[in-house]
Amino acid sequence: MKYNFGAGPCILPQDVFQEASEAVKDFNGLSILEVSHRHKDFVAVMDEATDLVKKALNVPNGYSVIFLQGGASLGFSISALNMMRDSKRASYINTGTWSKKAMTEAKKAGYEVLEAASSSDTNFNYIPKNVSVDSNSDYLHFTSNNTIFGTQFKEIPQSPLPLVCDMSSDIFSREINVADFDLIYAGAQKNMGPAGTTLYIVKDEALGKSTSSFMPTYLDLKTHAEKDSMFNTPPVFPVYASMLNLRHLIANGGVKAAQDRNEAKAALLYSEIDQNPLFEGTVAKEDRSNMNVTFLMNDEARAEEFNAIWQENNLVGLKGHRSVGGYRASMYNALPIESVKVLVDVMKHFSSKG
Amino acid sequence: MKYNFGAGPCILPQDVFQEASEAVKDFNGLSILEVSHRHKDFVAVMDEATDLVKKALNVPNGYSVIFLQGGASLGFSISALNMMRDSKRASYINTGTWSKKAMTEAKKAGYEVLEAASSSDTNFNYIPKNVSVDSNSDYLHFTSNNTIFGTQFKEIPQSPLPLVCDMSSDIFSREINVADFDLIYAGAQKNMGPAGTTLYIVKDEALGKSTSSFMPTYLDLKTHAEKDSMFNTPPVFPVYASMLNLRHLIANGGVKAAQDRNEAKAALLYSEIDQNPLFEGTVAKEDRSNMNVTFLMNDEARAEEFNAIWQENNLVGLKGHRSVGGYRASMYNALPIESVKVLVDVMKHFSSKG
């Protein structure tokens, strides 16, 4: 038994592993790996996965749910290309690594990119609140949760512009109002499923309106919305495993219940970080992520000792990203609160030894 | 037991299903679905998969092997963008559906597209031999095997231009000389692995030389060659299953032995088609594909009866593509000759009843 705090690809429910493993051996008489994507049994999987996304997030009418490939890294380009209108200016809130990559791809797509807000002044350890939006921009883009710096938007930014959001690392972890957005995109490999598929939720009104002179067929969301994610061969197994995970989410109370569990886990760990004299959080309290908890140890001399102890206790994936250092505990939907208790106990025990 | 003649995603070795299923439950103490792509155990998988491709195809020095996402449909754009040089003209051999899609994407990428040869005059039932190459084109593109029409290049086209090939449906099925090509791309889901990853083999000299004004980072092969396919989160499970399948290929004699088996299977089925008065092949004999065998029945009135019989005998995936009609038996590497014998027996039996 390992306690997997990895930042992603990350823990999913054990039931999903069991069912996915079984389908690799037997899915209606074949392996799920050898089933044609045009077979009715897989068409039913794609339809169910799509419907489960709509159910989990209360996606209103007038939005399409699409499963693609390429991760958020391709999503940066897809979102920019599809949202291009007359101004060819785009506003981005810069909360660090992922926002910056999104801005780079918007520039490559031909935009003048405006920084509507930024927390670069203190190494992105907070969410900027004062957003100055250029009213002529085609859209406002933000990254809802920041895996590296451990920050998370608690309120969506107010803006008259169409909102575009990279929700890769916290989609399905809390309730959202899809109607607030023109486009949401998210790599699967946190709360949706294994690596290999990318979710798009797009307002139908926004489809087919791009003014980009460059639009490969695969990058045009209209292509995929019209073909129900079956324009070309989809990533069959990642979509199947995502469907299993979404079934599990719904069966366990849906997004609201997941949010409650995530808030309880976050409260437990942040409380320990704040109480324990050996540790300190890196992020402004009101902007702390419930998904990725970043913290430092105050006594560098004891770092090796601490690393040895959490590894001995079967904790996995706690090393902080090099941009922040210290530790990062990622606590996605599937991480049980028991794992957080083990971590907290290790921290308490370590502190008491000091 | 089903005999899976599906056109793709398609049959893979049973051993691969077993091993992949096991890894979904347990891969060094975690599920392969929850392992970080940065973990040394998965880095080792990516390295091994890359090395196995090089070994299987004798990839010479000076070429990079890359695993991406998006299928050949994105490959049409990636190949065009990366190979763009001064002329912005590209020559394509048109052998049907897939070639035409590739040509469409080249146009969208900004090329003047020239048709160097075409078999459109007889619904693509042969491989055109007279290739008129525009010497100013940036490259010559062809589709090595055509799943829909059942044709296959037996010799690569002679051309002074850099060769670009969509090898999605016959890579690893026969020996090739990689040095003949500047760029090969192939969706995994025939002979490499399950759907969800796409292979690129590119001459290093061709990297970073594009003159395209539009080049998203994800579509630039240089990005991925420099990062060993780890620029962003790769499709972990599809790459893992591909590695297992490539191990299996090497352990069973490599590509040469697979080619021998494929030729034996093709000889068996085409021989029956030619001998059996009820059936006829759709393709010029010298251009018949060893992967996808397309054939018609001469007595339409008995079609339903034949369909019922092969389905009763657990044959799967034999229905022809709507562009050709009739039947299509796809016989990728993993299809055992025993399955072909079952099909031939069914055809013989059916014919003797008539």
Side-chain angles (χ1 to χ4, degrees):
Chain A
M1 176 65 190
K2 293 186 180 178
Y3 306 101
N4 186 358
F5 287 89
C10 67
I11 189 169
L12 294 170
Q14 294 297 320
D15 290 353
V16 170
F17 298 146
Q18 293 299 323
E19 292 165 36
S21 171
E22 189 52 41
V24 172
K25 283 191 291 193
D26 182 15
F27 174 78
N28 299 341
L30 293 175
S31 164
I32 186 73
L33 306 187
E34 64 175 327
V35 172
S36 168
H37 62 294
R38 302 289 180 198
H39 190 286
K40 66 178 171 47
D41 291 348
F42 183 73
V43 173
V45 168
M46 183 62 90
D47 288 348
E48 183 176 346
T50 304
D51 288 345
L52 287 168
V53 170
K54 290 180 179 174
K55 186 170 182 181
L57 296 174
N58 290 312
V59 177
N61 289 335
Y63 281 78
S64 291
V65 168
I66 306 168
F67 292 87
L68 291 184
Q69 298 180 62
S73 292
L74 187 58
F76 302 148
S77 300
I78 288 178
S79 53
L81 287 172
N82 281 268
M83 294 301 294
M84 188 174 277
R85 301 293 183 265
D86 290 334
S87 86
K88 294 186 170 48
R89 289 160 68 175
S91 289
Y92 281 71
I93 300 179
N94 181 6
T95 51
T97 312
W98 305 112
S99 308
K100 286 194 278 190
K101 284 175 183 271
M103 294 163 80
T104 298
E105 297 311 314
K107 280 178 201 151
K108 290 195 175 196
Y111 282 95
E112 178 190 350
V113 173
L114 307 173
E115 196 176 73
S118 172
S119 49
S120 67
D121 55 343
T122 55
N123 198 29
F124 304 106
N125 72 348
Y126 69 99
I127 296 291
K129 309 300 181 301
N130 295 319
V131 178
S132 87
V133 171
D134 160 60
S135 61
N136 286 323
S137 284
D138 290 334
Y139 61 87
L140 174 66
H141 179 286
F142 71 107
T143 315
S144 58
N145 181 76
N146 306 279
T147 51
I148 291 175
F149 298 100
T151 60
Q152 186 176 30
F153 281 83
K154 301 300 175 181
E155 307 282 342
I156 67 165
Q158 294 303 306
S159 161
L161 296 175
L163 271 185
V164 177
C165 185
D166 171 5
M167 223 176 265
S168 294
S169 55
D170 68 357
I171 195 162
F172 301 117
S173 77
R174 59 175 175 176
E175 293 188 304
I176 58 170
N177 182 19
V178 171
D180 291 336
F181 301 87
D182 270 42
L183 174 60
I184 294 167
Y185 62 101
Q189 63 269 13
K190 315 293 186 187
N191 288 322
M192 188 170 82
T197 187
T198 311
L199 178 68
Y200 291 79
I201 303 174
V202 59
K203 192 184 276 188
D204 292 335
E205 279 176 13
L207 294 170
K209 298 213 173 123
S210 173
T211 57
S212 173
S213 58
F214 180 88
M215 184 64 92
T217 305
Y218 188 89
L219 303 191
D220 189 348
L221 292 174
K222 192 164 187 284
T223 304
H224 302 286
E226 288 175 351
K227 298 283 190 180
D228 297 327
S229 305
M230 291 284 206
F231 163 69
N232 65 332
T233 310
V236 170
F237 181 81
V239 170
Y240 178 75
S242 296
M243 182 208 70
L244 293 177
N245 186 50
L246 290 163
R247 271 188 194 164
H248 188 276
L249 174 69
I250 299 289
N252 286 274
V255 166
K256 178 66 176 74
Q259 177 172 346
D260 291 344
R261 290 189 294 268
N262 290 329
E263 286 172 357
K265 289 183 280 178
L268 180 61
L269 181 53
Y270 282 120
S271 167
E272 178 61 25
I273 289 169
D274 289 340
Q275 286 170 25
N276 191 317
L278 267 182
F279 298 98
E280 64 177 333
T282 66
V283 168
K285 285 191 181 180
E286 71 274 17
D287 301 326
R288 285 169 160 180
S289 169
N290 288 351
M291 296 286 100
N292 312 97
V293 178
T294 49
F295 57 105
L296 305 173
M297 206 189 350
N298 293 326
D299 187 355
E300 261 311 303
R302 296 187 67 194
E304 271 190 40
E305 185 191 349
F306 182 59
N307 292 341
I309 287 180
W310 59 260
Q311 286 169 30
E312 278 163 23
N313 281 275
N314 289 318
L315 299 167
V316 172
L318 278 182
K319 187 160 179 285
H321 190 277
R322 65 183 178 282
S323 310
V324 179
Y327 304 94
R328 173 172 54 173
S330 295
M331 310 197 299
Y332 298 112
N333 281 359
L335 188 87
I337 195 163
E338 288 71 26
S339 296
V340 185
K341 288 177 181 164
V342 172
L343 170 58
V344 165
D345 285 348
V346 165
M347 291 166 74
K348 277 189 200 300
H349 179 71
F350 179 69
S351 174
S352 70
K353 280 174 60 182
Chain B
M1 175 63 190
K2 292 185 180 179
Y3 306 101
N4 186 357
F5 286 90
C10 66
I11 189 169
L12 294 169
Q14 295 296 321
D15 289 354
V16 170
F17 297 146
Q18 293 299 323
E19 292 165 37
S21 172
E22 189 52 42
V24 172
K25 283 191 292 192
D26 182 15
F27 174 78
N28 300 340
L30 293 174
S31 163
I32 185 74
L33 306 187
E34 65 176 327
V35 172
S36 167
H37 62 295
R38 303 289 180 200
H39 191 286
K40 65 178 172 45
D41 292 347
F42 182 73
V43 173
V45 167
M46 183 62 91
D47 288 347
E48 184 176 347
T50 304
D51 288 345
L52 287 168
V53 170
K54 290 180 179 174
K55 187 170 181 182
L57 297 175
N58 290 313
V59 176
N61 288 337
Y63 281 77
S64 291
V65 168
I66 306 168
F67 292 87
L68 291 184
Q69 298 179 64
S73 293
L74 188 57
F76 301 148
S77 300
I78 289 179
S79 53
L81 286 171
N82 281 270
M83 294 301 294
M84 189 175 275
R85 302 294 183 263
D86 290 334
S87 87
K88 295 187 170 44
R89 289 159 69 175
S91 289
Y92 280 70
I93 300 178
N94 180 6
T95 51
T97 312
W98 305 112
S99 308
K100 285 195 280 191
K101 284 175 182 271
M103 293 163 81
T104 297
E105 297 311 314
K107 280 177 200 151
K108 289 195 174 196
Y111 282 96
E112 178 190 351
V113 173
L114 308 173
E115 197 177 71
S118 172
S119 49
S120 67
D121 54 342
T122 55
N123 197 29
F124 304 107
N125 72 348
Y126 68 99
I127 296 291
K129 310 298 182 301
N130 294 319
V131 178
S132 87
V133 171
D134 160 60
S135 60
N136 286 323
S137 285
D138 289 334
Y139 60 88
L140 174 66
H141 179 285
F142 71 107
T143 315
S144 57
N145 180 75
N146 305 280
T147 51
I148 291 176
F149 298 101
T151 59
Q152 187 176 31
F153 281 83
K154 301 300 175 182
E155 306 282 342
I156 67 166
Q158 295 302 306
S159 161
L161 296 175
L163 269 185
V164 176
C165 185
D166 171 6
M167 222 175 266
S168 293
S169 55
D170 68 355
I171 195 163
F172 301 118
S173 76
R174 59 176 175 176
E175 293 188 306
I176 58 170
N177 182 18
V178 172
D180 291 336
F181 300 88
D182 270 42
L183 175 59
I184 294 167
Y185 62 101
Q189 63 269 16
K190 315 292 187 190
N191 287 322
M192 188 169 84
T197 187
T198 311
L199 178 68
Y200 292 79
I201 304 174
V202 58
K203 192 184 276 189
D204 291 335
E205 279 176 12
L207 293 170
K209 297 211 172 126
S210 173
T211 58
S212 173
S213 58
F214 181 86
M215 183 65 93
T217 305
Y218 189 88
L219 303 191
D220 189 347
L221 291 174
K222 191 164 187 284
T223 304
H224 303 285
E226 287 174 353
K227 297 284 189 179
D228 297 327
S229 307
M230 291 285 206
F231 164 67
N232 66 333
T233 310
V236 171
F237 180 81
V239 170
Y240 178 75
S242 296
M243 182 208 71
L244 292 177
N245 186 48
L246 290 164
R247 272 189 194 163
H248 188 275
L249 174 70
I250 299 288
N252 286 274
V255 167
K256 179 66 176 73
Q259 178 172 347
D260 292 345
R261 291 189 294 268
N262 291 329
E263 288 172 355
K265 288 184 281 180
L268 180 61
L269 182 53
Y270 282 119
S271 167
E272 178 61 23
I273 290 169
D274 290 339
Q275 286 170 25
N276 191 317
L278 266 182
F279 299 98
E280 65 177 333
T282 66
V283 167
K285 285 192 181 180
E286 70 274 19
D287 301 325
R288 285 170 157 179
S289 168
N290 288 351
M291 296 286 100
N292 311 96
V293 178
T294 50
F295 56 105
L296 304 173
M297 202 185 358
N298 294 325
D299 186 355
E300 260 311 303
R302 295 188 67 195
E304 271 192 40
E305 184 190 349
F306 183 58
N307 292 341
I309 287 180
W310 60 260
Q311 286 170 30
E312 278 163 24
N313 280 275
N314 288 317
L315 298 168
V316 172
L318 278 183
K319 187 161 178 284
H321 190 278
R322 63 184 179 282
S323 311
V324 178
Y327 303 95
R328 172 172 56 174
S330 296
M331 309 196 302
Y332 299 112
N333 280 359
L335 187 88
I337 195 163
E338 288 70 27
S339 296
V340 185
K341 287 177 182 164
V342 173
L343 170 57
V344 166
D345 285 347
V346 165
M347 291 165 74
K348 276 189 203 300
H349 178 70
F350 179 69
S351 174
S352 70
K353 281 175 58 184

